[in-house]
Amino acid sequence: MTPKNAVAIGTLMVVTLGLGFTSMPSVWAKTVADDPQVAVNAAYTKFKGDTEGKNADYIPALAKVDSNLFGIVLITVDGKIYTAGDVSTEVSIQSISKVFTMAQVIQEQGPESIEKRIGVDATGARFNSIIAVEAVKTVVGTGAPEMNPLVNPGAISATSMVTGTTADQVWKKIIGTYNDYAGRSLSVLQDVYKSESDTNQRNQAIGALMLAYGYIKNNWQQAVDLYTRQCSVGVNAKDLATMAATLANGGKNPVTGKQVIDEANVPEVLAVMATAGLYDDSGKWLYHTGLPAKSGVGGGIIAVSPGKFGIAVVSPPLDAAGNSVRAQRAITAISNDLGGNPFAPTQK
């Protein structure tokens, strides 16, 4: 029988004592580990008041996004969904898109296509570095280029590798792949696409260099435009969590049941996410969480606990490295509560 002064937190009942305080039962720690909703709620409450960071402004449209937006979604590999905050407002996917274009190329052409054409090593430089392109130009084609598909030069090259005879055919394949991961039809945020297209001169320079050095085989302008378009796709926290959960579930979307990428190709995708997913702070992130992840300057971060869950947080204010402040903190806290770190020892 439920006490009259009991309240529900996720699926946990706690008894209120008055004056706003609650009495936590002795099984609290076990319940957090067993009930993701408790962990999600706790992280949302703890971090919703954070005001650190600021929106990206080098793309003018991103500066206009509501900095108070904060949503968390966790989806387990058996399709259970746990949410807190605003999980329906769309932001642009930005660099998170790089993961799924890379996955598409791997699915079409095999893992070696990425490794030998682009590389899978961290560059040790900023995500949009031109110096990094110059540093690796002499080894392209040898199987050892110091590049990866999650920095702009590698991502633009990966976009150029998606097969199709016309730009429309390539785009249909890219957006179709994103739709399959998200479990619904996504669309481009036109204001973001225009804003990015008007200010992407650096990426155009990178595209031309990647053509000159053999990473892109032809039509670098098309590759840059399609890359810009894919970064402008609108997603909400639930979309991103579904995409992450698909990778956690061996490439099978746990909500729709569709096998989006062969299970055998998922480890390579997660490996690059682990080493290069959070810009210059990828090593720090992996050190503290163990989770393959990817951030975007639109304010989203996805993270994958293989075989357990995918999680996404949307919160636009970024730190100096370009990663959402609240998203990093919330994902870390939730993963710690739920034992998400794949490197953590399993108690016997």
Side-chain angles (χ1 to χ4, degrees):
M1 183 175 179
T2 303
K4 291 182 180 179
N5 59 337
V7 295
I9 302 178
T11 61
L12 172 69
M13 283 293 178
V14 298
V15 180
T16 61
L17 300 179
L19 300 178
F21 295 98
T22 57
S23 173
M24 297 299 179
S26 60
V27 295
W28 171 253
K30 181 177 185 297
T31 305
V32 169
D34 290 346
D35 187 355
Q37 189 63 59
V38 176
V40 168
N41 288 349
Y44 180 77
T45 299
K46 182 175 182 179
F47 300 114
K48 68 179 180 180
D50 282 9
T51 59
E52 290 184 47
K54 67 173 186 175
N55 288 30
D57 56 11
Y58 69 95
I59 300 170
L62 301 187
K64 301 176 182 178
V65 178
D66 182 4
S67 61
N68 294 313
L69 175 62
F70 184 34
I72 305 172
V73 180
L74 182 147
I75 301 179
T76 61
V77 294
D78 58 355
K80 294 184 175 65
I81 303 173
Y82 305 91
T83 72
D86 186 340
V87 301
S88 60
T89 297
E90 290 187 350
V91 297
S92 53
I93 192 171
Q94 295 300 328
S95 286
I96 298 173
S97 67
K98 297 171 181 175
V99 170
F100 302 99
T101 298
M102 169 181 66
Q104 173 65 23
V105 174
I106 289 174
Q107 178 68 6
E108 281 189 339
Q109 303 171 38
E112 285 192 354
S113 63
I114 289 289
E115 183 179 10
K116 292 187 175 181
R117 173 93 158 257
I118 299 171
V120 292
D121 284 331
T123 65
R126 292 286 290 173
F127 68 95
N128 60 352
S129 172
I130 291 176
I131 294 174
V133 178
E134 287 291 312
V136 302
K137 68 178 182 179
T138 58
V139 294
V140 67
T142 67
E146 298 293 318
M147 190 68 65
N148 68 77
L150 301 187
V151 292
N152 288 16
I156 294 169
S157 299
T159 301
S160 78
M161 293 173 68
V162 178
T163 57
T165 56
T166 67
D168 285 344
Q169 287 182 1
V170 175
W171 176 249
K172 184 177 181 181
K173 187 173 292 184
I174 291 172
I175 193 64
T177 296
Y178 293 8
N179 292 345
D180 288 343
Y181 277 98
R184 75 176 183 100
S185 294
L186 305 174
S187 60
V188 173
L189 301 178
Q190 292 298 326
D191 60 328
V192 177
Y193 176 53
K194 183 180 186 307
S195 185
E196 289 207 49
S197 296
D198 290 344
T199 57
N200 71 348
Q201 289 78 19
R202 188 179 186 88
N203 280 341
Q204 292 180 45
I206 288 171
L209 278 176
M210 297 306 277
L211 175 70
Y213 298 152
Y215 292 89
I216 295 176
K217 299 305 181 183
N218 55 63
N219 202 347
W220 65 264
Q221 296 96 331
Q222 175 178 296
V224 172
D225 179 65
L226 290 173
Y227 169 75
T228 304
R229 199 184 308 180
Q230 76 179 38
C231 287
S232 304
V233 168
V235 287
N236 57 40
K238 185 175 182 292
D239 297 327
L240 292 175
T242 308
M243 297 170 94
T246 300
L247 294 174
N249 193 37
K252 185 177 183 179
N253 188 315
V255 177
T256 67
K258 182 171 184 176
Q259 191 75 38
V260 183
I261 181 175
D262 292 345
E263 184 175 11
N265 290 330
V266 172
E268 286 82 1
V269 175
L270 296 181
V272 181
M273 292 173 67
T275 58
L278 264 71
Y279 303 121
D280 298 355
D281 283 351
S282 297
K284 293 178 183 177
W285 170 263
L286 192 65
Y287 187 83
H288 289 289
T289 70
L291 299 178
K294 186 68 193 84
S295 63
V297 294
I301 296 182
I302 64 170
V304 176
S305 182
K308 294 183 178 180
F309 59 79
I311 186 170
V313 176
V314 171
S315 176
L318 313 176
D319 62 16
N323 303 310
S324 169
V325 175
R326 282 191 292 195
Q328 291 178 82
R329 292 172 179 171
I331 293 172
T332 300
I334 293 167
S335 179
N336 287 343
D337 281 344
L338 301 178
N341 188 337
F343 295 115
T346 302
Q347 292 184 352
K348 296 182 180 179

